[in-house]
Amino acid sequence: MGKIIVAIDGYSSCGKSTIAKALAKYAGYTYVDTGAMYRAIGLYTLRHGLTQEADIVAALPLIKVGFILTDGAQHVTLNGEDVEGQIRTLEAGNCASRISQIKQVRAFLVAQQQKMGEDKGIVMDGRDIGTVVFPKAELKLFLTASPEVRAQRRYDELVAKGEKPNYDEVLADVNDRDYRDTHRAESPLKQAEDAIVVDNSHMTPDEQMKVIYRLFDEKAK
Ligand code: DC
């Protein structure tokens, strides 16, 4: 069975990374969370107080984003530092959404992502994987769920982390992020023509994975 590339795109908080991780494990493939890469750059700009596009672009050669395995889990690194714990906040997410609109930031990360897929055997999730990073990916999934369902999931995650979120604010944030992700000039989130849409609003995780494993098996045969 030859190795394939699996591109998973979709809205924020659709469970993309959970699905991609499970599928990578099932397939014995490498998993790459591209959102974490944008978040790491967002964190860099927060730490250095960079707000102007020109300053952010000028800093790119100083930024090295990578991944390490820690206790079997993939953690993103920023210039060698494990920043996994710091990129999963609302602030870092919003910052990632803003810097991801900069053309040069996208080109910088897309080039790295394409390199990671050179040998195939990869499951990559993000917003532009099936459209820009791997337009020839053998399996493209486009995940979606209603904004309310996604806001509740994000709310539950934040509570589990000990934060005290307000549901209405989390929902507003989901809607804002959707708007920015789908309306930006550079590689907006959109479904690739040949992507398979999976709406998981009313699926249990098990039901959803069954569907996805079957789709993978069909393509990887
Ligand atoms: O998937 P996430 O929430 O971790 O992504 C954080 C932000 O990064 C999100 O607002 C959109 C952006 N992003 C992107 O523009 N392209 C990608 N391939 C992945 C993420």
Side-chain angles (χ1 to χ4, degrees), residues 2 103 128 169 191 198:
K103 188 177 179 169
D128 59 340
E169 276 172 30
Q191 188 192 324
V198 178

Side-chain angles (χ1 to χ4, degrees), residues 6 16 34 174 194 197:
V6 183
K16 282 193 303 290
T34 62
V174 164
D194 49 350
V197 180

Side-chain angles (χ1 to χ4, degrees), residues 58-157:
L60 288 175
L62 307 175
I63 304 177
K64 194 160 173 13
V65 177
F67 290 99
I68 47 162
L69 268 185
T70 305
D71 300 329
Q74 196 180 65
H75 286 192
V76 69
T77 59
L78 173 60
N79 291 336
E81 177 193 347
D82 182 343
V83 291
E84 188 65 32
Q86 291 159 66
I87 59 161
R88 304 285 168 198
T89 61
L90 275 181
E91 193 188 19
N94 284 330
C95 194
S97 178
R98 279 194 298 276
I99 59 96
S100 70
Q101 302 185 37
I102 303 172
K103 188 177 179 169
Q104 292 89 335
V105 169
R106 302 204 69 84
F108 178 74
L109 289 182
V110 166
Q112 294 180 28
Q113 292 154 6
Q114 288 173 334
K115 223 172 162 8
M116 292 172 176
E118 269 173 357
D119 297 328
K120 300 203 175 189
I122 197 164
V123 179
M124 189 174 277
D125 76 14
R127 304 292 189 288
D128 59 340
I129 313 306
T131 50
V132 177
V133 182
F134 297 123
K136 295 196 175 133
E138 289 82 357
L139 177 59
K140 297 180 185 178
L141 300 174
F142 190 85
L143 300 182
T144 173
S146 73
E148 291 74 18
V149 166
R150 289 184 286 126
Q152 188 63 49
R153 290 178 188 160
R154 164 103 40 104
Y155 175 90
D156 293 342
E157 268 169 29

